[in-house]
Amino acid sequence: MDKQSIRELQGYLRLISAHYQNIPELKPDGYFGPLTTKAVRIFQQDFGLPVTGVVDFQTWDRIYQVYLVLLHQQKPPLNMPAFPIPGGVLKQGDSGSYVALMQVMLNEIGSQVNNIKHISEVGVYGQSTEDNVREIQKISRLPETGEINALTWNAIMRTYYAIIQ
């Protein structure tokens, strides 16, 4: 596994550990050391997989499935800003502080999730922002429009807060 994949795995396990106390909390650092191995072994044991400490396809798939279920069950943090454009959307061509806020969060998410690419032009909703929004929508099982409505806003916020906690 490369460093980015390990970091992504650790991010998934970090959220899972918040709900399963016997799984140690990991800091996504990209290093598959003893603590990551321990977390994987405990996950495998708790979820009826062969206990090897190795992340094979079956283990990765099950970790990701559990992560998605828990991600969707999470309540947004109390300090999460509500969608600022009731009944509207943020879309390609838009600009401003709300777009910049989403891009900063998407960049942070991208530091943990392989399919989210770094956005270099912050404040302008361009193609890279739209592509990343579609990826978040896909992960969150939302319609893949590439536009940010209230549901997508909340999905980005939940994912961001899950990563930084």
Side-chain angles (χ1 to χ4, degrees):
M1 291 178 93
D2 63 35
K3 192 171 189 160
Q4 185 62 29
S5 298
I6 294 168
R7 194 176 293 121
E8 188 173 344
L9 169 75
Q10 291 167 326
Y12 297 158
L13 287 168
R14 182 182 177 101
L15 175 65
I16 293 168
S17 72
H19 298 271
Y20 293 88
Q21 301 304 320
N22 55 336
I23 296 176
E25 182 179 335
L26 299 174
K27 191 159 210 107
D29 60 7
Y31 171 67
F32 201 111
L35 191 59
T36 301
T37 302
K38 179 179 179 181
V40 168
R41 291 177 71 81
I42 292 170
F43 179 90
Q44 289 170 328
Q45 180 178 340
D46 288 358
F47 287 88
L49 299 169
V51 180
T52 62
V54 174
V55 181
D56 57 10
F57 178 79
Q58 182 182 20
T59 299
W60 180 276
D61 191 50
R62 187 68 177 127
I63 288 171
Y64 186 65
Q65 288 173 359
V66 172
Y67 166 79
L68 283 179
V69 167
L70 295 175
L71 183 64
H72 292 299
Q73 290 176 352
Q74 278 191 308
K75 292 187 167 72
L78 295 176
N79 61 348
M80 185 174 96
F83 185 61
I85 308 166
V89 297
L90 293 172
K91 61 188 178 309
Q92 194 165 157
D94 290 345
S95 61
S97 60
Y98 297 129
V99 172
L101 173 63
M102 289 292 97
Q103 291 168 323
V104 167
M105 290 184 168
L106 287 167
N107 280 340
E108 185 65 29
I109 293 166
S111 71
Q112 306 296 319
V113 179
N114 281 340
N115 296 340
I116 306 295
K117 305 300 180 219
H118 181 76
I119 302 165
S120 56
E121 189 175 343
V122 175
V124 178
Y125 202 121
Q127 188 61 50
S128 57
T129 301
E130 183 175 311
D131 292 344
N132 283 341
V133 169
R134 284 183 195 277
E135 195 60 39
I136 290 287
Q137 290 169 330
K138 180 180 178 182
I139 291 168
S140 302
R141 297 184 179 142
L142 296 171
E144 296 174 40
T145 63
E147 298 178 347
I148 301 175
N149 60 11
L151 289 174
T152 301
W153 175 277
N154 290 339
I156 293 168
M157 290 286 193
R158 274 193 310 273
T159 306
Y160 172 77
Y161 281 108
I163 284 173
I164 65 165
Q165 290 180 343

